[in-house]
Amino acid sequence: MKRFALLTSLAIMTLATAGVQAATLSTSKNIELLVIDGKKVESSYWSPTESVELADGKHQVVIRFDGEVKNGSKNTIYTTRPYLFDINVADKDAKIVLPTLTTLSQTKAYFERGADWTLEYTDGTKEALKTVELKGDGFGSYSNMEELVAKYNSKHGIVFEQGYAVDLEQVAVKVDEAGKIEITGDSLTQLKMWYTKASAKEKKAFKIWAAEHDFN
């Protein structure tokens, strides 16, 4: 009887594990993983995080180029602003790649004209990434990447539902070819969208209003 129970438990665990699909997202040389799904990627100068495991689904990833390049006879460190993009993980390992950049002039010119970030899968297929360059107010704004990303997400109505990035504007707002705007989605989705766009003062006022009303 005990043996049967043990075998049953093992079978359940195997099925549960099989149902959770995941893939490895890695980076090529000089590409730094900064934030994934709103959370800072723990790393250090001596031990950078070069890969992460992601469950199937849509994820928001923030990266930057940070590497040593030639400047005449000397070497110098060139660091870009952070770049944000979405990735749909489907149980297939992938690597974020850039062309080989060796000199300062080459690297600066490449990013100034618009960098082409690419996702390279293990089966040989490639996907061009649609990235957004995040711009902060002053040099100090890049010292807290989580906060910078949170401000971007708040401005654009992006939240994380059960660990996955959800663009509430795409879910709750529909724009037809004529430019006519239609509010779609359920009431909860609409509330979440407007709440993410509200200022701190407006959020406080809403909380007070909600507390004064009986919604039971």
Side-chain angles (χ1 to χ4, degrees):
M1 188 66 179
K2 288 183 178 180
R3 184 184 178 187
F4 176 78
L6 177 60
L7 289 172
T8 303
S9 298
L10 288 172
I12 293 171
M13 290 174 64
T14 301
L15 288 170
T17 303
V20 180
Q21 301 296 323
T24 300
L25 176 67
S26 58
T27 59
S28 58
K29 185 179 179 182
N30 296 333
I31 299 178
E32 183 181 5
L33 288 167
L34 299 172
V35 180
I36 295 179
D37 295 334
K39 301 295 182 182
K40 178 183 176 182
V41 176
E42 294 301 328
S43 190
S44 70
Y45 178 81
W46 302 109
S47 181
T49 299
E50 298 177 344
S51 65
V52 291
E53 293 290 320
L54 297 177
D56 277 7
K58 183 179 178 181
H59 297 274
Q60 185 189 75
V61 181
V62 181
I63 54 176
R64 71 180 172 192
F65 177 90
D66 183 34
E68 191 174 70
V69 293
K70 285 283 186 181
N71 184 19
S73 60
K74 299 180 180 179
N75 292 335
T76 186
I77 299 296
Y78 185 83
T79 305
T80 67
R81 290 191 178 105
Y83 288 79
L84 178 148
F85 67 92
D86 290 330
I87 177 177
N88 282 300
V89 175
D91 194 26
K92 190 162 60 171
D93 295 346
K95 177 181 284 189
I96 306 167
V97 299
L98 284 172
T100 301
L101 302 170
T102 57
T103 67
L104 180 61
S105 58
Q106 175 199 24
T107 307
K108 288 180 69 175
Y110 182 77
F111 284 100
E112 284 173 359
R113 69 171 177 263
D116 293 323
W117 299 86
T118 304
L119 207 57
E120 197 172 83
Y121 294 97
T122 50
D123 61 7
T125 58
K126 296 181 180 180
E127 177 187 344
L129 291 171
K130 186 178 179 181
T131 61
V132 175
E133 185 179 4
L134 299 180
K135 299 179 180 179
D137 298 322
F139 181 77
S141 61
Y142 299 104
S143 61
N144 189 333
M145 288 296 177
E146 280 190 356
E147 183 177 328
L148 183 66
V149 174
K151 287 181 179 179
Y152 172 86
N153 287 337
S154 177
K155 181 179 179 181
H156 293 85
I158 298 172
V159 297
F160 295 96
E161 299 281 359
Q162 298 179 342
Y164 300 108
V166 177
D167 188 334
L168 293 177
E169 286 192 1
Q170 292 184 6
V171 175
V173 180
K174 180 181 179 182
V175 182
D176 62 20
E177 294 180 356
K180 182 180 178 181
I181 298 174
E182 178 185 355
I183 302 299
T184 60
D186 56 37
S187 299
L188 179 59
T189 300
Q190 293 177 35
L191 280 171
K192 288 178 180 178
M193 183 189 72
W194 293 119
Y195 189 80
T196 59
K197 289 179 169 295
S199 65
K201 185 177 180 180
E202 290 168 336
K203 288 178 180 177
K204 184 178 180 180
F206 176 77
K207 288 177 180 178
I208 293 173
W209 175 84
E212 290 175 346
H213 291 73
D214 184 8
F215 296 101
N216 294 326

